[in-house]
Amino acid sequence: MGIEYSLFRRIDKENLTCLNERQDGSGKTIFKPWEERVVMDTVVESDVDEELLFNIPFTGNVKLKGIIIVAPDDDSHPGRMRLFKNRPHMTFDDCRGEAVQEYELHRDPTGLLEYPTKVVSFSSVHHLTIHFPTNFGTDCTQVCYIGLRGEWTPAARQEIAITNYELRPNLSDHPTRIWEQASREVQ
């Protein structure tokens, strides 16, 4: 099952952001190999309230099929999860709208419970946003592991060709002798 959760290698960790994390950079540490999902030494903890927001860019296009959330078996475990796709740099204000998919989470400290996604809705994802709005009752939310299952394809990006089109020709741009002969006087 672990080989299916290899999308952590396809995450652009340099541009990954986590909003409302207590310790800067701790949100990047919970994306790790499937074998390390139950290792509780890396954890992201919310700071001001129970909300956490992950902006996850990928290095290509992803067909997302499932998500695993591992957190401590107490009230700091996330209670709900909301997913948004292809909306980079989201903030908490942007999350007030309708999500592409929402889940009621169950406590899962072992990482055996998978939340399947609507594959049709998440077939061409280059940026995923995960919002945890609530937990099971404390002031701070803790997450130890987020596993993403799916298929990755390299991004097919083409450069934009910059061209200029003439709507009306400028005679000085096109020197020719034809114009010189036509401008002579006839007697």
Side-chain angles (χ1 to χ4, degrees):
M1 189 171 164
I3 209 151
E4 296 177 357
Y5 284 89
S6 62
L7 286 181
F8 79 95
R9 285 186 250 139
R10 306 302 184 184
I11 296 172
D12 182 7
K13 284 198 176 183
E14 295 295 319
N15 295 316
L16 185 142
T17 58
C18 178
L19 301 181
N20 197 29
E21 60 187 346
R22 180 165 290 167
Q23 182 181 359
D24 288 340
S26 62
K28 296 178 183 183
T29 63
I30 63 169
F31 295 94
K32 52 191 174 185
W34 186 79
E35 297 82 22
E36 299 176 18
R37 72 188 182 285
V38 292
V39 178
M40 300 288 187
D41 61 348
T42 57
V43 65
V44 61
E45 189 174 0
S46 64
D47 189 21
V48 177
D49 56 11
E50 69 272 5
E51 287 188 89
L52 279 172
L53 182 72
F54 292 90
N55 286 306
I56 308 163
F58 294 102
T59 59
N61 287 323
V62 170
K63 181 188 289 186
L64 188 65
K65 296 182 178 181
I67 298 177
I68 288 180
I69 306 297
V70 176
D73 193 13
D74 58 14
D75 288 344
S76 68
H77 193 291
R80 285 184 53 223
M81 176 173 64
R82 305 176 76 222
L83 301 179
F84 301 87
K85 76 170 202 174
N86 298 338
R87 293 177 60 189
H89 311 294
M90 284 186 71
T91 63
F92 289 109
D93 292 334
D94 299 328
C95 291
R96 303 298 174 227
E98 188 173 337
V100 177
Q101 193 165 359
E102 294 189 32
Y103 302 89
E104 293 293 327
L105 302 180
H106 302 280
R107 292 182 186 173
D108 184 23
T110 58
L112 296 178
L113 182 61
E114 177 185 333
Y115 300 97
T117 62
K118 299 174 191 172
V119 179
V120 174
S121 299
F122 292 96
S123 63
S124 181
V125 180
H126 58 82
H127 190 281
L128 178 69
T129 302
I130 302 175
H131 179 222
F132 297 109
T134 61
N135 57 24
F136 284 99
T138 64
D139 291 337
C140 112
T141 300
Q142 292 183 345
V143 178
C144 301
Y145 172 80
I146 296 178
L148 303 173
R149 181 175 67 90
E151 300 171 8
W152 177 83
T153 54
R157 299 179 191 238
Q158 297 178 350
E159 294 185 23
I160 299 172
I162 299 174
T163 58
N164 292 325
Y165 294 97
E166 284 187 15
L167 295 178
R168 192 169 85 198
N170 187 356
L171 295 179
S172 64
D173 290 341
H174 307 283
T176 178
R177 295 192 183 279
I178 296 173
W179 298 110
E180 292 174 3
Q181 293 173 357
S183 64
R184 294 186 186 165
E185 290 185 27
V186 180
Q187 293 184 356

